[in-house]
Amino acid sequence: NPLKTQGESIMLSILILAVLSSEVENQKADNQDNCFDNGEATYTIATHRQVSRQIKYGQISLAELRKHFSDALASQDLLKAELNAWKLDNLKELLYSPRGKKQQIIEQILNAMLREFAINQSISYLIGGKGSYLSAIKKAVFQVTQADLDKEAAEHAAKLAFKQKASNNPETKEEFEYFVRVFGEKNLSREQRAVWDELRGISTLEKQQQDLAKKAIINQVKLADIEFKLLEHYHTNRGHNVFTVTLSGRVDKDTFEELCQKARMLEGNYAKPWRDKTNNSVSPGGFTFNEKEQAEKFMQLKEGNVSRLEQLQEHQEEKKANALEHLVEVAENLSEKAQEVLTRDRKVNTERRARMAKSVETDVREDLQLASTIARIVQAIESGQSKFLSNVRTKTHIETLESILSRAKYERRSKLGERYEDIKHTEPELADVDFVEYPFPVLDLYHFTKVSEKKIKGLTLITNRLAKLFTPKEKQLGYVVIKNSYLIKDLQKMVYKTKRVDSYLADMMSDRLANYQRLQLIGLTDLPTLRAALREYLPLRTDTSKADPIKEMERELIGCKIDGYFPTPKAVVEQMLDLADIKAGMDVLEPNGGSGHIADAIRQHHPDANISVVEINCRLREILQAKGYKLFDWDFLKHQQTYHRVIMNPPFEHFQDVKHVKHAYTLLSEGGRLVAIMSESPFFRMDKEAIAFRDWLESVGGSNERLPQGSFLDSDRSTGVATRIVVINKPASPLSLASPLSLDIFVITANDINGVNDAESLSESLSEILSEGSPAEIEENFNEVLHVQDYEAIKDNFLEHQQNYNTIIMNPLEHSSQHIERIYHAYYLLNPSGTLTVTLPETVLAPTNKLYTQFNKWLKSVKATSKKLGNGKSLVMVRKITLF
């Protein structure tokens, strides 16, 4: 058979070629083996170390390499003997993964030494074959070229450069990994640690994106010969076109459910056939989608996997936008409520009320800080400036970051020896971030024991696993920190199942788990990412506003014993200021300053007045200085400067109020006024000093009025002592009437009344009593004179007139009951110690009817005086001795 003969010839030729090739290879191998047979047995461990160094630094030639290899082969017995003298532990240090007994380890070391000569070559041989491992090494060494040596030296130089750079100034993730592996993370500087955390945090975020991309993959559906068809038609119920994917045939139940599930993942679903009522057409059943793109992706499942990453990302962005909008609303509400609470008036006249007010204000300031921080974080996220905080969605997320940062602050500063009281008022710093610990869940032994006792169905295996965590040390501590992700899932499941049986116990366990769960939700899944996020958070964080130091100093006074210190309540101060009638530019003294209750009100209502304060107590002086008041002598009784107004609430003990009021009167300038709070005792006691004071008060024309009982119960230092307001005016000389202290005068007159027909004529008739000056001087110096024409404007409704005056002069047209009522009303308009002067017929003063009799009784009650003017007229003068 010619074909058979030809085939046998081909096979014979192939066999001959194989034999010849094998012989050539064997001969070549023998030549390679023989070329290393002329070595000298002088190679030692020290020699090998030197050769290795020369190879790494490019200090050896190819011939020298082969010569050293030959010597190493010839010196195997010498090397074994040298190594045999070493201890086993030292031998193991020479190998990456030592195995076996000492002689086996020595063989491994020798093979590793010989392997180092086969630079950039692979070693391959068949176990049990003709060749051996040593032959394979010889073959590899024989194949080494000068280019291999140069490459080895270049790679070693690059490694040295990398190690030097990483050791001195790491910048890349690989350089930081080398530094941390060699020197440890604790040797990183603060700046380097921040970069290291950020690099690892970025890796974590990238991995999260990769995980999202994997999650977005929808796996292929095996459909054999089933085909898809896409139909578009108008959906009358939805009001727009929909896209339906129909199948060319029936599928089994499992495949149909799988298709339904994956259609829902693409925002579609299966719809049965339905009839369109508008045109009576029947729409086919199939997998219906609102978007054509989603329907086309669904059809691609027949050919392979598809991704819904864009869909998930759009959904995330939508949730993000809604969450940020809600965060803005939360911040605005927090700020509005905080401002309302902060401006609310509170009584702080007891230690308890002061503590409550301080606590409320502290909470409010924290709310304001949180609101401002939320607003800044939202702005950073929306502008794309935030890298690690971009998943923050709720107020609790920010509160979690704040609590972790606060704990790190205490951790760092307590190690520096600072006290808790000094730490709690300080703000977190960048250095605190290095002391942050990841808030892994904590399981209390008490909670775990209670759950175990309940024997909740489905938790037996979980409780058995978690029970192993409680070693004797953890039992003594009373809790265990869980860092294993699988055990954390067990803990979460235990909390979930416990909630059905004991919600209170479940909530307590959930609290120890909350911070961990929140950080996981916002993508801060490990410590480096958390620290990187906190370093991003700190610049966005608003510092908590400090408490008002003056308010703090005032509240510290509550409960402290200070003799004679009873701050004036706000209502009483307002009443005193109404009586004081302070004008712009006046010099006003508060001789018993206290903490500034009266001075504060003067400054608020009369900012143009010049306020001076005297106070003897050191702590109270500090408060007054902090408020910016001018402080003079310590002892008021030694103070000698003059003032237009003195407003005071002196101490009451040992008749000090009497001494202070008398001395204050000496400080008044002419035309000045003193308004003082005094105790009730000088007005009812019958001892010599009290009687002398009452006589003196009457001699200077002082007036007084008892304050309602309990007026000082609202004081910051509450007291029920009975009190009075005393007002004293110092008379003004005629030459001083033109000064800013000149008295207000209200002249009410009329035309041609018994020869007195204008204000000037009336002034002439009064000049002897009012002053020694001329009528023109009186007319010029009184700064507010209501003339005839002015009176005409108000005379018809004078009884409704409410302006107050120090001096009122009246010359009524007639003396009917209406005009007597006007005299009564004029007295009402007088300021305390003011004077009312009226020209009256003498017949009125010698009453002939009931009206005049009552009027004369009233004149006696107010201690009126009279002087005959002639022409059947008398001049009647009344000084107001009451306050109201």
Side-chain angles (χ1 to χ4, degrees):
N1 189 338
L3 292 176
K4 183 176 181 181
T5 303
Q6 183 179 2
E8 289 175 349
S9 299
I10 293 172
M11 290 298 295
L12 180 60
S13 300
I14 292 173
L15 182 60
I16 293 171
L17 288 172
V19 171
L20 290 175
S21 176
S22 178
E23 289 296 330
V24 171
E25 288 296 324
N26 290 337
Q27 183 65 37
K28 186 176 180 182
D30 291 340
N31 292 337
Q32 292 171 359
D33 289 344
N34 294 336
C35 77
F36 297 119
D37 289 344
N38 57 351
E40 300 176 2
T42 57
Y43 198 83
T44 63
I45 298 295
T47 305
H48 184 74
R49 287 174 176 166
Q50 184 178 2
V51 171
S52 296
R53 182 176 179 82
Q54 290 173 343
I55 292 172
K56 291 178 180 178
Y57 286 92
Q59 299 171 349
I60 192 171
S61 66
L62 185 59
E64 289 173 334
L65 177 74
R66 292 178 177 177
K67 176 65 172 63
H68 286 305
F69 182 68
S70 299
D71 293 344
L73 288 175
S75 305
Q76 291 188 65
D77 293 337
L78 179 64
L79 290 170
K80 286 181 181 180
E82 187 177 356
L83 290 171
N84 197 47
W86 289 27
K87 292 183 179 180
L88 181 61
D89 292 339
N90 294 335
L91 292 173
K92 289 182 177 180
E93 291 177 359
L94 299 177
L95 294 174
Y96 178 74
S97 179
R99 300 183 302 276
K101 296 182 179 179
K102 186 173 183 178
Q103 295 305 317
Q104 293 173 316
I105 291 174
I106 290 174
E107 286 291 340
Q108 295 170 25
I109 293 172
L110 283 175
N111 288 336
M113 291 170 62
L114 296 174
R115 174 69 180 83
E116 288 185 39
F117 289 93
I119 300 167
N120 292 329
Q121 304 298 319
S122 60
I123 308 297
S124 61
Y125 72 101
L126 293 175
I127 299 176
K130 182 178 179 181
S132 64
Y133 183 63
L134 184 57
S135 297
I137 292 177
K138 290 179 180 180
K139 179 181 178 182
V141 174
F142 187 80
Q143 293 173 347
V144 173
T145 64
Q146 185 63 43
D148 293 324
L149 287 173
D150 295 340
K151 182 180 178 182
E152 179 71 10
E155 290 178 351
H156 180 69
K159 288 180 181 178
L160 286 179
F162 169 82
K163 291 179 180 179
Q164 185 176 8
K165 171 69 168 53
S167 300
N168 297 325
N169 183 29
E171 292 179 326
T172 65
K173 185 180 179 184
E174 292 74 17
E175 291 172 350
F176 272 103
E177 287 173 345
Y178 174 81
F179 184 98
V180 172
R181 185 170 63 251
V182 175
F183 303 104
E185 187 173 338
K186 64 180 180 180
N187 288 309
L188 289 169
S189 67
R190 183 178 300 162
E191 295 76 13
Q192 289 174 334
R193 191 176 294 110
V195 176
W196 174 225
D197 286 339
E198 184 173 359
L199 289 172
R200 289 187 290 174
I202 291 173
S203 296
T204 300
L205 296 182
E206 289 174 349
K207 185 178 182 302
Q208 291 172 0
Q209 291 300 316
Q210 293 169 2
D211 292 342
L212 179 64
K214 291 180 181 178
K215 181 181 178 182
I217 297 296
I218 304 176
N219 295 325
Q220 176 184 4
V221 180
K222 296 181 180 179
L223 293 172
D225 56 348
I226 298 294
E227 298 295 334
F228 285 141
K229 185 178 180 181
L230 180 61
L231 301 175
E232 179 181 359
H233 59 96
Y234 184 79
H235 196 294
T236 53
N237 291 338
R238 300 186 186 183
H240 58 78
N241 286 350
V242 295
F243 303 88
T244 302
V245 178
T246 61
L247 306 182
S248 61
R250 297 180 63 85
V251 295
D252 58 70
K253 181 179 178 181
D254 293 339
T255 304
F256 177 75
E257 290 179 353
E258 183 181 0
L259 287 170
C260 289
Q261 178 189 4
K262 293 178 178 179
R264 287 191 291 269
M265 293 172 71
L266 291 169
E267 299 182 348
N269 210 341
Y270 181 79
K272 294 180 179 180
W274 76 92
R275 183 178 298 278
D276 189 343
K277 296 180 181 179
T278 58
N279 53 20
N280 205 32
S281 62
V282 177
S283 298
F287 298 93
T288 304
F289 301 86
N290 289 330
E291 301 292 336
K292 185 177 181 180
E293 181 183 357
Q294 305 299 341
E296 290 174 344
K297 281 188 177 182
F298 181 77
M299 295 175 68
Q300 293 171 12
L301 288 173
K302 178 176 170 54
E303 307 300 330
N305 299 340
V306 298
S307 173
R308 56 175 184 143
L309 181 60
E310 292 182 3
Q311 173 188 338
L312 292 179
Q313 289 174 337
E314 288 177 2
H315 183 60
Q316 285 184 340
E317 288 299 318
E318 184 179 354
K319 289 178 63 178
K320 174 180 175 180
N322 293 335
L324 293 181
E325 184 179 352
H326 175 69
L327 265 180
V328 171
E329 293 178 1
V330 169
E332 291 174 351
N333 291 336
L334 267 178
S335 182
E336 289 175 4
K337 290 179 180 178
Q339 292 291 355
E340 188 273 328
V341 173
L342 201 59
T343 56
R344 187 184 302 162
D345 288 335
R346 292 184 180 82
K347 288 185 178 181
V348 289
N349 56 341
T350 65
E351 291 185 67
R352 178 175 176 273
R353 285 175 175 173
R355 287 195 304 270
M356 291 173 61
K358 183 176 181 179
S359 176
V360 169
E361 290 177 6
T362 299
D363 293 341
V364 166
R365 287 194 298 273
E366 290 177 355
D367 285 346
L368 286 173
Q369 178 266 334
L370 181 60
S372 177
T373 300
I374 289 174
R376 297 178 69 176
I377 288 177
V378 169
Q379 185 178 4
I381 294 174
E382 290 178 339
S383 63
Q385 297 175 355
S386 176
K387 185 182 299 180
F388 298 99
L389 299 175
S390 58
N391 290 324
V392 169
R393 296 291 180 269
T394 65
K395 179 168 74 78
T396 55
H397 291 166
I398 299 174
E399 289 173 335
T400 298
L401 296 176
E402 189 71 22
S403 66
I404 292 171
L405 199 55
S406 177
R407 183 172 181 178
K409 176 187 72 174
Y410 283 105
E411 184 70 20
R412 180 179 76 89
R413 300 190 184 183
S414 60
K415 289 183 178 179
L416 296 176
E418 297 184 31
R419 299 180 305 128
Y420 172 79
E421 291 298 324
D422 298 330
I423 298 172
K424 69 178 182 179
H425 298 297
T426 59
E427 299 295 331
E429 300 175 358
L430 199 59
D432 299 330
V433 178
D434 295 338
F435 289 79
V436 167
E437 295 181 0
Y438 198 83
F440 286 104
V442 175
L443 176 60
D444 288 327
L445 179 61
Y446 172 79
H447 297 158
F448 177 74
T449 304
K450 288 294 183 182
V451 173
S452 301
E453 290 174 353
K454 294 181 181 297
K455 296 182 179 179
I456 300 171
K457 185 178 180 181
L459 289 183
T460 303
L461 294 177
I462 291 176
T463 52
N464 290 340
R465 282 195 294 269
L466 294 176
K468 297 177 182 178
L469 299 175
F470 286 99
T471 64
K473 179 182 178 181
E474 274 69 29
K475 286 183 179 179
Q476 186 175 3
L477 289 173
Y479 66 89
V480 62
V481 179
I482 304 177
K483 298 182 179 181
N484 184 287
S485 59
Y486 296 103
L487 294 177
I488 291 175
K489 290 180 181 178
D490 284 344
L491 176 59
Q492 292 171 332
K493 188 174 182 180
M494 186 170 73
V495 171
Y496 174 75
K497 287 186 172 292
T498 303
K499 196 171 187 66
R500 301 178 180 179
V501 179
D502 190 335
S503 60
Y504 177 73
L505 179 59
D507 289 341
M508 287 194 296
M509 290 191 296
S510 182
D511 287 342
R512 309 300 298 272
L513 185 64
N515 284 349
Y516 171 83
Q517 291 178 321
R518 289 169 186 157
L519 292 183
Q520 294 292 312
L521 283 174
I522 57 181
L524 307 181
T525 56
D526 53 38
L527 182 58
T529 313
L530 172 60
R531 290 198 296 227
L534 290 173
R535 290 189 184 95
E536 187 178 280
Y537 169 76
L538 267 174
L540 299 173
R541 180 185 182 274
T542 303
D543 290 345
T544 305
S545 60
K546 303 298 181 183
D548 185 350
I550 295 175
K551 187 179 290 186
E552 292 293 302
M553 294 168 69
E554 289 178 331
R555 287 177 180 172
E556 288 175 1
L557 295 175
I558 300 174
C560 296
K561 182 173 177 57
I562 301 178
D563 293 338
Y565 173 59
F566 291 94
T568 315
K570 184 176 179 180
V572 177
V573 175
E574 296 289 341
Q575 190 173 340
M576 294 175 74
L577 293 187
D578 289 341
L579 296 172
D581 189 29
I582 299 172
K583 305 294 184 184
M586 285 185 173
D587 295 325
V588 183
L589 174 66
E590 216 286 52
N592 310 104
S595 59
H597 284 62
I598 294 177
D600 290 344
I602 296 172
R603 176 186 280 176
Q604 178 183 356
H605 293 288
H606 306 284
D608 295 329
N610 302 315
I611 307 172
S612 300
V613 182
V614 175
E615 177 54 52
I616 193 171
N617 184 275
C618 295
R619 295 185 66 176
L620 298 177
R621 285 178 70 90
E622 288 179 3
I623 296 175
L624 293 170
Q625 287 173 340
K627 291 183 176 181
Y629 292 113
K630 293 185 291 186
L631 284 171
F632 289 90
D633 296 331
W634 291 68
D635 187 353
F636 167 63
L637 296 178
K638 296 179 181 179
H639 189 60
Q640 294 301 324
Q641 193 168 330
T642 59
Y643 299 90
H644 300 132
R645 296 287 187 269
V646 178
I647 305 175
M648 61 194 298
N649 177 14
F652 298 164
E653 294 91 343
H654 311 299
F655 264 36
Q656 288 186 79
D657 50 349
V658 171
K659 297 175 183 177
H660 281 232
V661 168
K662 283 185 173 183
H663 182 67
Y665 182 77
T666 66
L667 303 183
L668 285 176
S669 59
E670 293 180 344
R673 178 175 296 177
L674 166 66
V675 180
I677 300 295
M678 294 187 67
S679 64
E680 182 70 16
S681 61
F683 295 91
F684 70 82
R685 288 175 55 171
M686 299 305 296
D687 55 273
K688 183 178 179 180
E689 191 170 0
I691 294 173
F693 171 74
R694 291 196 292 271
D695 292 341
W696 172 84
L697 184 64
E698 184 176 1
S699 69
V700 296
S703 57
N704 66 89
E705 193 78 18
R706 175 179 287 184
L707 290 173
Q709 188 68 30
S711 292
F712 272 70
L713 291 178
D714 285 339
S715 170
D716 289 352
R717 295 166 63 86
S718 180
T719 177
V721 65
T723 54
R724 291 189 179 223
I725 287 185
V726 174
V727 177
I728 307 174
N729 290 317
K730 200 164 192 177
S733 67
L735 299 179
S736 65
L737 290 176
S739 70
L741 299 176
S742 59
L743 302 176
D744 298 334
I745 181 169
F746 178 19
V747 180
I748 302 178
T749 184
N751 292 327
D752 196 18
I753 299 297
N754 296 324
V756 182
N757 55 13
D758 56 25
E760 185 175 352
S761 301
L762 182 60
S763 297
E764 287 180 357
S765 64
L766 300 177
S767 61
E768 183 180 351
I769 299 172
L770 293 178
S771 74
E772 297 177 358
S774 66
E777 289 175 334
I778 298 173
E779 178 76 18
E780 177 183 356
N781 291 332
F782 282 124
N783 70 328
E784 187 173 324
V785 178
L786 188 65
H787 292 284
V788 177
Q789 62 270 26
D790 300 315
Y791 175 63
E792 290 296 324
I794 65 168
K795 67 178 183 179
D796 293 334
N797 58 354
F798 173 68
L799 295 178
E800 283 76 36
H801 189 59
Q802 294 298 324
Q803 186 172 346
N804 295 102
Y805 301 90
N806 291 328
T807 302
I808 299 179
I809 303 172
M810 299 183 69
N811 186 19
L813 289 171
E814 56 182 285
H815 302 289
S816 63
S817 60
Q818 181 181 7
H819 286 81
I820 289 178
E821 287 181 10
R822 292 189 177 190
I823 294 173
Y824 290 149
H825 185 65
Y827 180 83
Y828 165 76
L829 297 180
L830 283 177
N831 287 320
S833 300
T835 57
L836 168 65
T837 306
V838 186
T839 55
L840 291 171
E842 292 180 359
T843 54
V844 175
L845 301 179
T848 56
N849 57 42
K850 185 177 180 180
L851 175 64
Y852 291 167
T853 300
Q854 291 177 344
F855 178 67
N856 275 269
K857 287 183 179 180
W858 175 78
L859 289 176
K860 290 181 181 179
S861 68
V862 296
K863 300 181 180 180
T865 60
S866 64
K867 182 179 180 180
K868 290 184 179 182
L869 298 175
N871 300 323
K873 297 289 184 71
S874 292
L875 189 67
V876 178
M877 293 185 64
V878 181
R879 182 183 293 274
K880 190 171 186 179
I881 58 175
T882 61
L883 299 181
F884 311 106

